[in-house]
Amino acid sequence: MLQTEENSSNSQALLGTAEHVKANLWVVKRAVAVDNTYVISCPGCGVELKTTPREPGTNKLRCEHCGVAIGYNAYKSTYREIYIPETKKGCLQWGRCWTRHTMVLKPGKNIVGRKDKDLPSDIMLNDPTISRQSIAIHVIVDNTKSGYTFRLTVIHAKNPVKVNQLSLKPGQGLYLKFGDTITLGKTLLKFVPYEKE
């Protein structure tokens, strides 16, 4: 499955492995997303090159040092494949003000699903319109930068799973950022920073 990406000023992804085609022309077969910043080492001289495609379709990156050209395809999308580091722990909130629930996400895998004693989830919602294990949110701790990244993956989807207005199918996923809303069945969850530290 081809996943898509969203740019962050601090986020860069590798453009991919360039294959030699002829003379000074190299090609990256992996498609990348418009408006994201990518880096690649020039196959001719080793200099680090950066590119941010603005239009979908075939793009070309040229090294100013040795003249090598690197071709690649870009496309428009809304998924986020590039991780967006956050400095605080994350938590999920749901319910009205007087019955609001808040669950802090632990490092590792956090499974969210319908309340069920036979197949319990880490975070159980009292909503019969969702699967027993609907989504997983993987929390990756980066000790070197004192940061966290959060990746949501759909496990089962009895009804559509949405992040903001984007519908996801089982097996699809993206990186979360604070302020995102997650719709599971009739339940609306908000992904927010944990403020009590």
Side-chain angles (χ1 to χ4, degrees), residues 146-192:
S146 300
Y148 304 86
T149 55
F150 306 88
R151 182 166 178 79
L152 178 149
T153 305
V154 178
I155 304 171
H156 300 289
K158 185 176 181 181
N159 288 306
V161 172
K162 289 185 179 180
V163 175
N164 301 322
Q165 296 302 313
L166 178 66
S167 291
L168 299 172
K169 295 177 181 177
Q172 291 183 320
L174 51 68
Y175 284 94
L176 295 171
K177 63 181 180 181
F178 292 148
D180 284 343
T181 57
I182 304 163
T183 305
L184 302 179
K186 294 181 179 177
T187 304
L188 182 67
L189 302 157
K190 191 160 186 186
F191 176 60
V192 295

Side-chain angles (χ1 to χ4, degrees), residues 25-156:
L25 179 62
W26 296 69
V27 172
V28 174
K29 292 187 176 177
R30 170 191 175 221
V32 298
V34 169
D35 294 329
N36 290 277
T37 300
Y38 297 90
V39 294
I40 189 170
S41 293
C42 174
C45 64
V47 170
E48 184 180 272
L49 304 173
K50 290 185 183 180
T51 183
T52 307
R54 298 298 180 197
E55 295 293 330
T58 303
N59 286 262
K60 193 180 281 187
L61 172 64
R62 187 170 294 279
C63 178
E64 295 179 2
H65 298 277
C66 68
V68 160
I70 303 168
Y72 63 92
N73 286 315
Y75 61 95
K76 276 192 174 178
S77 75
T78 51
Y79 292 125
R80 298 186 204 107
E81 186 181 294
I82 295 175
Y83 69 87
I84 301 167
E86 302 283 6
T87 56
K88 294 186 176 182
K89 289 181 181 177
C91 59
L92 294 178
Q93 289 183 342
W94 68 96
R96 301 182 183 273
C97 352
W98 56 89
T99 58
R100 176 160 296 157
H101 300 276
T102 300
M103 289 292 294
V104 179
L105 298 171
K106 67 182 189 307
K109 185 191 279 188
N110 298 264
I111 295 177
V112 183
R114 182 179 77 233
K115 193 171 186 178
D116 188 282
K117 63 180 180 181
D118 295 326
L119 189 61
S121 296
D122 299 301
I123 299 172
M124 292 192 284
L125 306 173
N126 193 16
D127 184 345
T129 65
I130 65 174
S131 299
R132 292 186 293 174
Q133 293 193 332
S134 184
I135 61 170
I137 300 176
H138 299 266
V139 179
I140 303 150
V141 182
D142 185 344
N143 293 320
T144 59
K145 297 179 182 176
S146 300
Y148 304 86
T149 55
F150 306 88
R151 182 166 178 79
L152 178 149
T153 305
V154 178
I155 304 171
H156 300 289

Side-chain angles (χ1 to χ4, degrees), residues 10-25:
N10 298 321
S11 299
Q12 296 176 356
L14 293 176
L15 185 61
T17 303
E19 296 181 14
H20 189 237
V21 178
K22 61 180 181 180
N24 280 343
L25 179 62

